[in-house]
Amino acid sequence: MSSTASSNAQKAKDAKEEIKPWIRRLARFGYMAKGVVYALVGILAFMAAIGVGGKTTGTSGMLRSLAGVPSGNIILWIIGIGLICYIGWVFIKAIKDPTNEGTGAKGIISRVGYMVSGVVYGALALNAIKIASNAGSSSGGGSKQTMSAKLLAQPFGAWIIGAIGVIIIGYGLYEFIGGATQKFLKKFRTGEMDHHEYKVAKNSGTAGLIARGSVLGLIGYFFVQTALTSNPDQAKGLDGALSEVASNPFGQWILGVVAAGLILYGVYQIIRGRYEHMSFGKRK
């Protein structure tokens, strides 16, 4: 065995020894909390599509809506704590590299992606806890637009926004392809599933990843448009993407399909929390 292979094997062994079972349990809880967030966003959008209330909102808007329902604050606390667990897990993956991504270009990109994901969901967890504590703001997407405007005012700001847009499009394409090819099934301990659980995991993952990948692609497109036009109003998040879908011909039908996909993405994340491989070290 070469010295490099020996080093990688020892690294995987060390990671397995460092990561405790309770961390795996928290990580699984985190995936489930993330799934609940997307399922609720999808439900609100689906209700809007079929005209029985609801709205095309992003994750922050969904949290504010949740605060108005009975026991909403308790649910918000659970979501906030669950997302903190998820953040801890993605930071462990970025820093400790328990899945042995390595230090090559692909590994570094993956680990940087974990860090970015941790920051994004950290802001969402903080927002959930603030709203649960009755300290959340009722404002909508203004902060996103302000951030875009501030970036555009900086040297190379348009290039930075454009690069963010391209990265979002790339990740959306990655998720779309992952759903279409069903490669995500490799992440699951399928041997522990019965036939029904496997079928739900396969179908929800396929539809959910395709739907989320499509929405991410649209969000990335908006960021690129912001860079090209220097208009911060062009920058839109999940809520803007869903509203854009609804404004097109047959938009309500398309919105309904996308919303159903987001609900299934949430189901997929919940199943991922239950059945994802967390046997550390790179699997062949």
Side-chain angles (χ1 to χ4, degrees), residues 4-37:
T4 301
S6 299
S7 175
N8 286 340
Q10 184 62 42
K11 184 178 180 182
K13 181 179 178 182
D14 291 344
K16 185 172 182 178
E17 292 172 351
E18 290 170 5
I19 306 301
K20 305 300 182 183
W22 65 268
I23 294 179
R24 292 200 294 270
R25 287 193 287 271
L26 291 179
R28 296 190 189 286
F29 177 50
Y31 278 123
M32 292 178 183
K34 179 183 175 183
V36 169
V37 168

Side-chain angles (χ1 to χ4, degrees), residues 34-57:
K34 179 183 175 183
V36 169
V37 168
Y38 276 95
L40 290 173
V41 169
I43 289 170
L44 286 174
F46 189 79
M47 290 171 64
I50 63 177
V52 295
K55 54 185 176 180
T56 53
T57 186

Side-chain angles (χ1 to χ4, degrees), residues 3 16 20 29 36 47 57 74 84 90 102 169 182 186 189 194 218 239 250 262 284:
S3 59
K16 185 172 182 178
K20 305 300 182 183
F29 177 50
V36 169
M47 290 171 64
T57 186
I74 296 174
I84 289 171
V90 295
I169 291 172
Q182 299 182 342
K186 295 179 181 178
R189 305 191 311 274
D194 60 30
L218 190 56
D239 50 350
F250 304 103
L262 291 176
K284 299 298 182 183

Side-chain angles (χ1 to χ4, degrees), residues 7 11 38 58 66 74 100 115 119 122 132 137 177 237 243:
S7 175
K11 184 178 180 182
Y38 276 95
L66 191 58
I74 296 174
N100 201 18
M115 293 291 288
V119 172
S137 170
I177 293 172
S243 296

